[in-house]
Amino acid sequence: MGDQPTSDSERAPEEATAKAAGPRPDEAVVLTQDNPDNKDDSDPAGDKPAEPEPNPSPEPEEAKARPVGEDTVVIRLPAETAKKAETAETAGKDDTVVMRKIPGEETVVLRPEVKKPVGDETVVIRLPATKPAKKKPATDDTVIIRLPQAPKTKAAGRARVASRLAGEETVVIRVPTAPEPAPKPGGSFDLGYAPWVLALSSLGVVLVALAYGGGRHESSWAMTAYWTGQVIVFSPVVFRLLSRLAGVAESFLLVIGLAANQYMLKWMYSPDQFRFPDELQHWLATTLITESGELFRPNQALPPAVHFPGLAEMGAAVSQLTGLSVTAAGTLVAGVAHLIFVGMLFAAVLRSSNSPAMAGVACVTYATAMHYLFFNSMFLYQTAALPYFMLTVWAYRRWRTAGDPVFAVLAVAGIAMTTVSHHVTAFALVATLVLLAVTELVLEKPRPWITLSIPLAALAVVAAWIGFVAQDVIAYLEAPVEGLAASLNQLFGGAAEDATATKPVPLTQLAVQGLGLLGLFVLFVAVGRDMLLRRDRDTWRWAALIGGGVFFAGNGARFLGANGPEIAGRLSTFTYIPMSIVAAIAIVYAVQIIPPKDERGRRWRSSLPPGLAVTTGRRLAGQVYLGTALITVLMIGARTGGWPPVSALLPGPYLPAAYERSVDEFGVDAARWQEATLPPGTRVGGDITTVALSSTYGRMDPVREVGELFHAEQWTGTEEAIARSRGVSYLVVDERLSEALPPDAYFQGDPMAGRLTEPIPVAGLRKFDTIPAASRLYDNGHVRIYQMGLS
């Protein structure tokens, strides 16, 4: 697959320096290049690096010890040279092979000065005379030649390492990266074109901001401006990263700059206040800590959040230290956590691949996840847990490659912080560490059983926290688990169709999402075939491939009942990480999608091409353009299938039960009245929006399943019995529910979800005025609050 992530035997440069042993005398020979001027030799492929791929047949262990870089030169041996080599005698006693450049040729020709047996496909290179020479067996068709480090000062030539491919007239010369002779201005911190690319991306941010303004005024041009801005924000960064001309510093700046620009898109949607129900729930948790100075304060809006105070504690600390409001502090905390997560993802992929292009493309591919733009950057406890999740994975990688116990301690600390921040992220972390450990145990010989210590520690920490502290999480997760089980039973057991099924997805939206998923699946299959045929033994690549398979299985949850799309989206937050790495391998290293036929006419079982595919010229340009187009399509699919829904991509006037679009001054004022007037913890029911506001701003105890009370044309004994059974003391009625249909449902657990053809009639909302025991206590022209008088 080319310059892929280094395996455990292929360390990053600093790890290789610490671990690699010197070449044995009976296995090393030095190749030198003619350099009569005694000048420093430059890399002949430096401007357009080749994309290396491992040999199709397993190499000896010596070959695996050297990481494959992007500075590999492929030297093809002309036929006439091969014939001369059959009778050539050794030119000198130093057994040196000389490389010469033939004028007018595009390749460097290796002129062997060693004897090659006639009719034998093996290049025999005699070892130096310093120790008893050992010949390569005549039947062995591979010669591994070690290369010493390039000198830091001017030298007579640059060393090369060569390996002979079986049955081919190709000699592969692997060139190590020469160290810088002297620090250059900027050095490894050269930002390249990143400032200019990000300046162009920022113009897209401005365009989306204008689209948001147009959406609030219902302007016809707003949607066109929105999509144009989204593409301008995203695509230039992807194009630059795929060109493979950006170094580590430039790639990192591009990735972080893109994440910051995209966070601006989320913040500008609602810059003055939190409007999403989950954000309001964590706003309340943070406010309770700032008011009391204590953790674990009861939160009626989201009871499980009490025992996962990581996000609320950080928000309260920033608010108290800076004097900012909880909303401003929460916005700042969520933004910083989002950037740290992206930075840790970049560092983890860079560590495993030693390629800034690979790390950058993996990050921008992950930015096309369904919930990346909003859910993963909202003021939610998952946003606070994700940086610790990636920190743990990165530290685990460092511990397994460098062996430093400091990284093991850091991984355990990351496990603890993830556990106290978010329950689902903690479960995902345990599963990820188990996958990494089991993959290593299966592929490595002898089996490194110590790798199980970190996953077992994670399992113990999470189980202890859930079992002894956050016991209410078990009951909280029962409902979604039962819903998923019911959907599976419906799918495979032939049960009747769920009456609460969501509306069918529009054909255009489904086509865009399907095209993106199909493209990812093609890349997934190509990488899997490539790894199988090359007998890849890298544990991290195999773990990523297995994780990619889980991603596709999780996408099947989209079709499992009313909650299927939400389950699939939330699951992809974690499974899309390995899928992004697999996609980056395929895109950056041009893995063959459709392999050529072999001599037997087989295509999918044919051997991989020998040697190294040098990606230059038109092939590189086509790879960049196609890769940019694919990732942009994935981004568009994520925006249409993620959050907010298509009907609310732009902010605008009030819409019933549309989350952010439903929060306005009328609803907030009614909730503030409840806080000032009603006893704390009073049972209050209403639609999705009013009950969210009542439980946060109003600090009431929410009753969400009240759909039957609103859909009934008249108030009868049946409705009164339902209200009594659910302990409803007050009802919040927004008459604007009668003006439009909701995107999905008016109420949580709405019995009419997906079946409504017209809004709730006004008469159905005003029937509460006719209830003898009920009293209207509040009315601001849109929102009314009724005391039910049932107690």
Side-chain angles (χ1 to χ4, degrees):
M1 275 182 294
D3 181 16
Q4 301 167 344
T6 55
S7 66
D8 293 339
S9 61
E10 296 175 334
R11 311 293 185 193
E14 59 268 34
E15 295 166 4
T17 303
K19 286 184 172 293
R24 292 190 292 271
D26 61 346
E27 296 175 341
V29 63
V30 177
L31 303 181
T32 61
Q33 184 175 1
D34 287 349
N35 197 353
D37 298 330
N38 197 29
K39 295 182 179 179
D40 186 29
D41 187 19
S42 60
D43 187 359
D47 293 333
K48 296 180 179 178
E51 300 302 325
E53 301 179 10
N55 290 335
S57 58
E59 292 182 355
E61 280 302 313
E62 308 90 81
K64 297 182 179 180
R66 186 167 198 82
V68 180
E70 293 186 352
D71 48 1
T72 301
V73 180
V74 179
I75 297 183
R76 304 213 174 264
L77 200 64
E80 60 269 23
T81 305
K83 293 180 180 179
K84 292 179 181 179
E86 295 178 357
T87 56
E89 297 292 336
T90 303
K93 296 182 179 181
D94 59 354
D95 291 323
T96 299
V97 180
V98 180
M99 280 196 320
R100 292 185 171 87
K101 182 70 180 292
I102 296 180
E105 293 285 338
E106 292 186 357
T107 57
V108 181
V109 177
L110 178 66
R111 297 194 178 279
E113 298 186 3
V114 295
K115 186 174 181 180
K116 182 171 190 293
V118 178
D120 193 350
E121 289 297 322
T122 303
V123 175
V124 180
I125 300 183
R126 302 183 184 279
L127 299 172
T130 54
K131 288 189 177 182
K134 293 182 180 180
K135 289 186 179 181
K136 280 287 193 181
T139 58
D140 190 356
D141 54 5
T142 302
V143 178
I144 307 299
I145 305 177
R146 294 277 186 177
L147 174 72
Q149 288 290 334
K152 295 184 178 180
T153 59
K154 293 182 179 179
R158 172 179 286 183
R160 304 285 196 269
V161 178
S163 62
R164 181 79 164 86
L165 299 180
E168 295 290 332
E169 293 299 330
T170 302
V171 177
V172 179
I173 305 296
R174 294 182 177 176
V175 186
T177 303
E180 294 286 347
K184 297 180 179 179
S188 59
F189 298 99
D190 183 16
L191 302 182
Y193 287 94
W196 302 101
V197 174
L198 292 177
L200 177 59
S201 177
S202 299
L203 294 178
V205 175
V206 174
L207 198 56
V208 174
L210 294 174
Y212 285 162
R216 293 185 180 97
H217 294 87
E218 299 185 276
S219 301
S220 59
W221 53 264
M223 189 59 72
T224 301
Y226 172 83
W227 285 114
T228 304
Q230 286 280 6
V231 172
I232 293 176
V233 167
F234 190 74
S235 297
V237 176
V238 178
F239 187 90
R240 178 62 181 174
L241 289 170
L242 279 176
S243 68
R244 271 166 287 172
L245 298 176
V248 174
E250 183 181 356
S251 297
F252 181 77
L253 181 59
L254 287 170
V255 166
I256 295 298
L258 176 63
N261 283 344
Q262 292 187 307
Y263 183 73
M264 292 290 290
L265 301 183
K266 180 267 173 190
W267 171 72
M268 291 185 305
Y269 191 94
S270 178
D272 58 334
Q273 66 180 108
F274 294 134
R275 286 183 164 85
F276 188 71
D278 291 26
E279 286 189 299
L280 290 173
Q281 292 166 354
H282 292 289
W283 171 88
L284 175 60
T286 306
T287 301
L288 293 172
I289 293 177
T290 58
E291 292 175 350
S292 65
E294 300 176 0
L295 296 176
F296 308 112
R297 301 293 297 174
N299 183 351
Q300 297 284 358
L302 187 63
V306 174
H307 300 114
F308 298 93
L311 174 70
E313 171 62 19
M314 288 187 285
V318 172
S319 177
Q320 293 176 334
L321 288 173
T322 62
L324 295 171
S325 66
V326 171
T327 300
T331 301
L332 183 62
V333 167
V336 172
H338 183 63
L339 294 181
I340 292 175
F341 166 71
V342 174
M344 290 307 305
L345 176 60
F346 181 92
V349 180
L350 180 66
R351 169 62 51 180
S352 62
S353 67
N354 199 29
S355 168
M358 172 77 179
V361 173
C363 288
V364 296
T365 303
Y366 183 79
T368 65
M370 287 177 60
H371 285 173
Y372 175 87
L373 186 61
F374 270 70
F375 268 103
N376 292 1
S377 57
M378 284 181 175
F379 186 59
L380 312 177
Y381 48 7
Q382 177 176 280
T383 302
L386 284 174
Y388 297 114
F389 174 93
M390 282 310 307
L391 172 66
T392 305
V393 174
W394 173 83
Y396 178 81
R397 165 74 186 186
R398 291 300 308 270
W399 174 60
R400 293 305 302 140
T401 54
D404 192 336
V406 172
F407 294 110
V409 174
L410 187 59
V412 174
I415 292 169
M417 292 303 299
T418 304
T419 302
V420 301
S421 296
H422 187 222
H423 43 83
V424 175
T425 305
F427 299 152
L429 179 59
V430 172
T432 300
L433 293 175
V434 169
L435 172 62
L436 293 173
V438 170
T439 306
E440 189 173 351
L441 285 175
V442 171
L443 294 177
E444 295 291 334
K445 297 293 189 306
R447 304 191 191 282
W449 294 104
I450 194 173
T451 191
L452 289 174
S453 58
I454 297 297
L456 291 176
L459 181 61
V461 170
V462 174
W465 188 259
I466 300 296
F468 295 103
V469 180
Q471 298 178 359
D472 53 347
V473 166
I474 299 175
Y476 175 74
L477 295 177
E478 281 182 1
V481 171
E482 291 175 356
L484 181 61
S487 299
L488 289 173
N489 181 58
Q490 171 191 329
L491 183 65
F492 298 105
E497 184 179 356
D498 186 2
T500 62
T502 56
K503 296 180 181 179
V505 180
L507 184 60
T508 304
Q509 177 182 340
L510 189 63
V512 174
Q513 296 175 12
L515 182 62
L517 285 174
L518 179 61
L520 286 177
F521 185 73
V522 169
L523 298 180
F524 174 80
V525 172
V527 172
R529 173 189 178 275
D530 192 274
M531 293 174 62
L532 285 172
L533 290 182
R534 295 187 192 280
R535 300 179 184 178
D536 196 311
R537 304 286 295 180
D538 186 275
T539 59
W540 287 73
R541 284 197 291 273
W542 277 111
L545 195 69
I546 295 171
V550 176
F551 165 77
F552 287 108
N555 269 274
R558 290 172 182 260
F559 310 101
L560 299 180
N563 295 325
E566 181 181 356
I567 294 173
R570 299 211 176 196
L571 184 63
S572 70
T573 296
F574 309 101
T575 59
Y576 203 56
I577 294 175
M579 186 62 240
S580 299
I581 296 174
V582 172
I585 292 173
I587 295 172
V588 172
Y589 303 123
V591 174
Q592 283 192 328
I593 304 299
I594 302 178
K597 293 182 179 180
D598 61 8
E599 63 278 0
R600 298 183 181 180
R602 301 177 305 180
R603 184 182 300 276
W604 298 105
R605 296 181 58 194
S606 63
S607 300
L608 296 172
L612 304 175
V614 184
T615 306
T616 57
R618 292 184 178 179
R619 182 182 177 189
L620 175 60
Q623 188 175 324
V624 171
Y625 289 123
L626 290 176
T628 303
L630 173 61
I631 298 177
T632 301
V633 169
L634 289 172
M635 181 273 294
I636 295 173
R639 297 294 84 82
T640 58
W643 194 263
V646 174
S647 60
L649 285 176
L650 298 176
Y654 174 89
L655 286 178
Y659 299 97
E660 293 96 334
R661 288 283 299 269
S662 304
V663 176
D664 62 1
E665 64 275 14
F666 295 103
V668 173
D669 288 344
R672 294 292 191 188
W673 180 87
Q674 297 171 54
E675 179 192 14
T677 306
L678 304 181
T682 300
R683 298 277 287 174
V684 177
D687 65 89
I688 289 175
T689 303
T690 57
V691 80
L693 296 174
S694 297
S695 62
T696 54
Y697 287 120
R699 306 193 184 189
M700 300 292 107
D701 187 4
V703 184
R704 297 181 172 89
E705 294 81 8
V706 293
E708 298 93 334
L709 306 182
F710 283 76
H711 289 299
E713 296 181 1
Q714 296 180 350
W715 186 266
T716 65
T718 301
E719 285 71 38
E720 183 173 340
I722 293 174
R724 286 183 182 277
S725 66
R726 295 175 185 174
V728 179
S729 299
Y730 293 82
L731 275 180
V732 183
V733 181
D734 193 329
E735 287 197 349
R736 291 173 294 180
L737 299 181
S738 64
E739 296 176 358
L741 286 170
D744 184 17
Y746 286 111
F747 308 92
Q748 183 170 318
D750 193 340
M752 297 298 292
R755 297 190 298 172
L756 291 173
T757 57
E758 59 183 17
I760 298 177
V762 176
L765 298 177
R766 292 181 178 175
K767 66 176 177 289
F768 300 105
D769 289 322
T770 65
I771 302 175
S775 301
R776 190 200 311 180
L777 302 181
Y778 177 87
D779 188 347
N780 63 19
H782 291 291
V783 181
R784 299 178 179 182
I785 300 177
Y786 294 89
Q787 183 180 17
M788 301 308 295
L790 301 177
S791 56

